[in-house]
Amino acid sequence: MRLAIDVMGGDQGPLAVIAGSARAVVENPSLELILFGPRQQILAELSRLPQPLAAAASRLVACDAPDSILSSSTAAWALRKGRSSSMAHMLRSVAKGEAVAGVSAGNTAALVALARRELGMIKGISRPAISTAIPARAGRRCYLLDLGANVDSPASRLVDFARMGAAMAQCVDGTPMPRVALLNVGSEATKGSASVREADRLLREYANDDAFTYEGYAEGGDLFKGQFDVVVCDGFVGNAVLKASEGLTSMLVERVQMAFESRLSGRLASLLAKPVLKRLKRELDPVRYNGASLLGLRGIVVKSHGSTHADGFYYAIQRALKEVEHNLPARIAGRWQASSFESDGAR
């Protein structure tokens, strides 16, 4: 199995991406990764990998892509000037079938624009949506989308997001009938923007026994209760919610640990509670949830956090492998085609 990696996208530099890639290869003997970036720089970083990561270097293939897209670059600039960038090379590798998926920690706007051009969209879907899973009560998780690909979305696009999110929950998690909600500022029918209210009307008409159950509006606090499998919003709201949730989670874990260590008696309690704290940090650590899917494309592309370190990039690769395992784009396309036939028959 071969994946394509954009080495130059992350804020932490190529080493974090390459180290995370090496860990993924070490744990998966059937995996090979194509690393796109300045070849000599990639080879230099590979030579610095510690054991046992260095043992996987033979399955990390350096491919020369001399240019990179800066975090300050616009999507329009990337489309005009970014054809020789590591990101564009990575996406073309997926489009040509040389790799089954691509992973980048680079500029989100550029990645969305270039992915649309290089891979194309599933028929019937106008724009991709960025989605990831967030932890919820009782060991459940909830898919939140969009997370930044579409800052302002009309009602029809929010309906598309609901359908894609439901397909993700059904295909990847095996949820037979995903419960879908619209993120809003209240549960009353009169609350929210015009596009959200119109999306609510459309979803009540669309939702059926074969696709998902529409649960109406969800408020911010409902995301973590485990009541919903998919929560839909525009990219501006989704990105703000995700970043705030990650920051709050990190702060809470640190505060709990500090509370145990603040007094002498607390230090003994800290030793006793260490296994529980370790488990809590492992389950809630945002690093474990790194890797957001670009849904709606004809190929698999995963967006890693730009600020991620090696461990986070490793989890983004695991996300891509999960989608390859479930052949996610083909299954979403199949659901879209089936729903189109049903709509035509109804007319």
Side-chain angles (χ1 to χ4, degrees):
M1 188 183 297
R2 187 177 293 171
L3 269 62
I5 306 296
D6 172 17
V7 168
M8 302 305 294
D11 298 340
Q12 307 301 324
L15 181 58
V17 172
I18 291 172
S21 299
R23 178 184 167 188
V25 168
V26 166
E27 294 187 8
N28 191 334
S30 65
L31 180 63
E32 181 177 280
L33 301 180
I34 312 171
L35 307 180
F36 288 98
R39 190 169 187 276
Q40 293 305 316
Q41 188 173 359
I42 293 173
L43 294 175
E45 298 293 2
L46 287 173
S47 69
R48 297 189 185 101
L49 288 175
Q51 291 292 347
L53 296 183
S58 62
R59 286 184 284 128
L60 297 171
V61 181
C63 283
D64 194 42
D67 298 334
S68 58
I69 294 175
L70 301 177
S71 60
S72 57
S73 299
T74 64
W77 185 94
L79 289 170
R80 291 195 312 269
K81 306 286 189 179
R83 291 195 66 86
S84 61
S85 65
S86 56
M87 183 184 289
H89 276 284
M90 176 271 291
L91 291 168
R92 280 197 292 273
S93 179
V94 178
K96 292 176 181 177
E98 298 168 352
V100 293
V103 185
S104 174
N107 182 314
T108 301
L111 183 63
V112 171
L114 289 173
R116 286 182 71 193
R117 184 177 71 185
E118 300 295 342
L119 298 176
M121 301 297 299
I122 292 170
K123 186 177 180 180
I125 303 177
S126 60
R127 290 184 59 86
I130 300 177
S131 175
T132 195
I134 57 176
R137 288 179 182 170
R140 302 184 66 90
R141 58 182 183 174
C142 174
Y143 287 100
L144 181 65
L145 71 165
D146 177 35
L147 299 178
N150 309 272
V151 173
D152 187 16
S153 298
S156 60
R157 194 171 295 154
L158 293 176
V159 174
D160 284 351
F161 295 166
R163 295 168 67 190
M164 287 192 284
M168 170 78 88
Q170 206 167 48
C171 296
V172 175
D173 293 343
T175 307
M177 188 60 57
R179 300 162 299 170
V180 177
L182 269 175
L183 191 60
N184 202 357
V185 294
S187 58
E188 298 88 350
T190 56
K191 292 288 184 72
S193 64
S195 60
V196 169
R197 295 197 305 272
E198 175 64 9
D200 174 68
R201 184 188 68 79
L202 292 173
L203 283 168
R204 291 183 187 281
E205 291 179 359
Y206 175 82
N208 58 66
D209 292 341
D210 297 324
F212 56 85
T213 59
Y214 176 59
E215 305 287 339
Y217 293 142
E219 297 184 69
D222 298 328
L223 291 171
F224 310 98
K225 292 180 179 179
Q227 297 175 342
F228 306 117
D229 302 300
V230 179
V231 173
V232 176
C233 56
D234 65 42
F236 183 92
V237 172
N239 192 274
V241 168
L242 180 68
K243 299 289 177 62
S245 300
E246 290 172 345
L248 177 63
T249 299
S250 298
M251 184 270 290
L252 286 176
V253 171
E254 290 173 6
R255 287 287 182 92
V256 170
Q257 193 158 359
M258 288 171 59
F260 276 110
E261 295 173 352
S262 61
R263 298 180 180 178
L264 183 63
S265 59
R267 292 193 186 98
L268 177 59
S270 178
L271 289 174
L272 296 175
K274 192 172 182 179
V276 177
L277 288 171
K278 188 175 181 180
R279 178 183 172 186
L280 176 66
K281 187 173 183 179
R282 184 176 65 249
E283 290 180 353
L284 298 182
D285 190 353
V287 169
R288 293 177 58 87
Y289 294 88
N290 184 43
S293 311
L294 267 66
L295 300 179
L297 297 169
R298 288 191 294 182
I300 295 171
V301 178
V302 169
K303 171 68 174 74
S304 168
H305 274 312
S307 60
T308 194
H309 291 79
D311 285 348
F313 200 82
Y314 160 83
Y315 282 109
I317 292 173
Q318 297 306 305
R319 177 78 177 187
L321 292 173
K322 190 87 170 175
E323 294 187 17
V324 172
E325 176 188 348
H326 292 280
N327 197 13
L328 190 60
R331 296 183 72 173
I332 291 177
R335 288 171 61 94
W336 232 260
Q337 187 177 24
S339 64
S340 297
F341 287 153
E342 289 168 6
S343 298
D344 292 343
R347 287 196 293 270

